[in-house]
Amino acid sequence: MSSTGVHTSSASILTDFKEITKVRLAVSVVFSSIAGYFLGADSIDFVTVFLLAIGGYFMVGASNAYNQIIERDLDALMDRTKNRPIPDGRMSVSTAFLIASVFTIAGLLVLYIINPKTAMFGAISIFLYVSLYTPLKTKTPLAVFVGAIPGAIPFMLGWVAATGDFSIEPGTLFMIQFFWQFPHFWAIGWWLYDDYRKGGFFMLPTGRRDRGTAIQIILYTVWTILVSLIPVFGVTGKLFLSPVAGVIILMLGLGMLFYSIKLYKEKSAEAAKKLMFASVSYITLLQIVYVFDKFIRQWI
């Protein structure tokens, strides 16, 4: 159905709005940002937390809406995306563009209220995601590398929101989420390989579900674990992780590594799906452990 042949009902407006902004992804990004804020803040300002959550949602929602506008014809070819609002004809391109534009402006203004650097990184994130990552997905597997940059900004964005400064601490948070994204998105690319091929997307480093891709997934998983443990050694400024928390992070990482190796052995879509869920669990629990470790050390 043409994207201009719009048929909407009041009952579906909210659902379509949630789909065009990818509400689940946006909430996970907001979670990362708030975790970074808790790590960087000397005292919690809940007004700033609220602004960070709203501004972060606006920026992610805008990026996702722009992405679905650009990829609307390709989305119509893939089973997992053909029922999105634009390719299914439930939302016009102009409506989606209006949502994306309003969200971009509102998001930047809200983040600027926190501090200018937070708004700057928010702007960089949306620019890289929309202008570079999205068009590169159909041209080269390096798109994953480019996409990992805006994808890694939320965790460090929270620290910048709390301190107004970018230094080794938010840089470390950036690196953790940056390297984590490679095994995460390659697992998705492997799991949904056939569907991605319909849209002409290049998501795997070798372009195939083969031994080379599986080995790279293992290597990047190992590197993710190592980077996650750097704060244990007291070399990342105010960002510190206790040995006990380090052991917990290591165990979580070994769990993710287990599924990476399992994918190497089985080379199946099911194994890739399990790795994807393991990777989501890893980054979520890592952020929780980091935050709890900080506050437990303060209370003790």
Side-chain angles (χ1 to χ4, degrees):
M1 180 177 292
S2 170
S3 60
T4 58
V6 184
H7 53 87
T8 59
S9 66
S10 57
S12 67
I13 290 175
L14 179 59
T15 299
D16 290 344
F17 178 82
K18 289 164 63 177
E19 288 188 29
I20 201 71
T21 60
K22 292 187 181 178
V23 64
R24 291 183 181 179
L25 174 61
V27 168
S28 70
V29 169
V30 168
F31 179 86
S32 294
S33 298
I34 293 176
Y37 175 84
F38 284 159
L39 291 173
D42 293 325
S43 60
I44 306 301
D45 180 354
F46 287 101
V47 172
T48 301
V49 172
F50 176 76
L51 292 175
L52 183 61
I54 297 300
Y57 185 91
F58 280 158
M59 298 305 290
V60 179
S63 296
N64 290 328
Y66 283 130
N67 173 268
Q68 291 182 53
I69 292 170
I70 296 169
E71 295 181 348
R72 60 189 183 276
D73 294 332
L74 300 178
D75 281 348
L77 302 175
M78 297 183 290
D79 293 335
R80 70 183 187 87
T81 56
K82 64 184 180 183
N83 292 320
R84 283 176 173 174
I86 299 177
D88 191 49
R90 303 192 310 274
M91 181 180 292
S92 68
V93 171
S94 58
T95 298
F97 185 78
L98 178 62
I99 292 172
S101 300
V102 170
F103 269 39
T104 300
I105 296 170
L108 287 175
L109 288 175
V110 171
L111 294 181
Y112 189 84
I113 292 172
I114 298 174
N115 61 58
K117 285 186 179 178
T118 302
M120 179 189 71
F121 282 116
I124 291 173
S125 175
I126 194 170
F127 172 79
L128 290 176
Y129 188 89
V130 176
S131 300
L132 293 179
Y133 169 66
T134 296
L136 284 175
K137 286 163 65 178
T138 57
K139 294 177 173 59
T140 172
L142 288 175
V144 174
F145 173 84
V146 176
I149 299 173
I153 286 177
F155 199 15
M156 54 80 70
L157 189 71
W159 188 289
V160 175
T163 65
D165 185 41
F166 181 84
S167 54
I168 190 170
E169 298 92 346
T172 302
L173 299 180
F174 175 88
M175 284 201 307
I176 292 170
Q177 200 150 8
F178 176 79
F179 286 108
W180 165 82
Q181 288 180 88
F182 291 92
H184 173 69
F185 281 108
W186 287 337
I188 295 175
W190 190 305
W191 173 32
L192 301 173
Y193 180 78
D194 292 331
D195 211 25
Y196 275 124
R197 284 186 63 186
K198 296 177 184 177
F201 292 119
F202 297 93
M203 301 300 293
L204 299 180
T206 67
R208 298 180 299 276
R209 293 188 286 192
D210 59 11
R211 182 173 178 269
T213 289
I215 289 175
Q216 290 195 54
I217 288 174
I218 291 174
L219 292 176
Y220 274 88
T221 299
V222 171
W223 188 242
T224 299
I225 297 169
L226 294 177
V227 172
S228 300
L229 294 173
I230 290 176
V232 174
F233 302 98
V235 295
T236 51
K238 295 180 180 179
L239 179 65
F240 180 73
L241 198 64
S242 70
V244 173
V247 171
I248 296 173
I249 296 297
L250 176 61
M251 297 303 294
L252 292 172
L254 291 177
M256 184 174 165
L257 182 61
F258 168 81
Y259 285 103
S260 297
I261 295 173
K262 190 177 180 64
L263 175 60
Y264 173 80
K265 291 180 177 179
E266 298 182 4
K267 296 181 179 62
S268 67
E270 184 62 28
K273 182 179 179 181
K274 291 179 180 178
L275 173 58
M276 185 273 292
F277 284 118
S279 67
V280 171
S281 298
Y282 175 78
I283 198 66
T284 303
L285 293 174
L286 175 145
Q287 291 165 353
I288 292 173
V289 169
Y290 264 64
V291 172
F292 270 80
D293 182 63
K294 173 190 173 179
F295 286 105
I296 288 173
R297 284 187 287 106
Q298 286 182 344
W299 292 333
I300 295 176

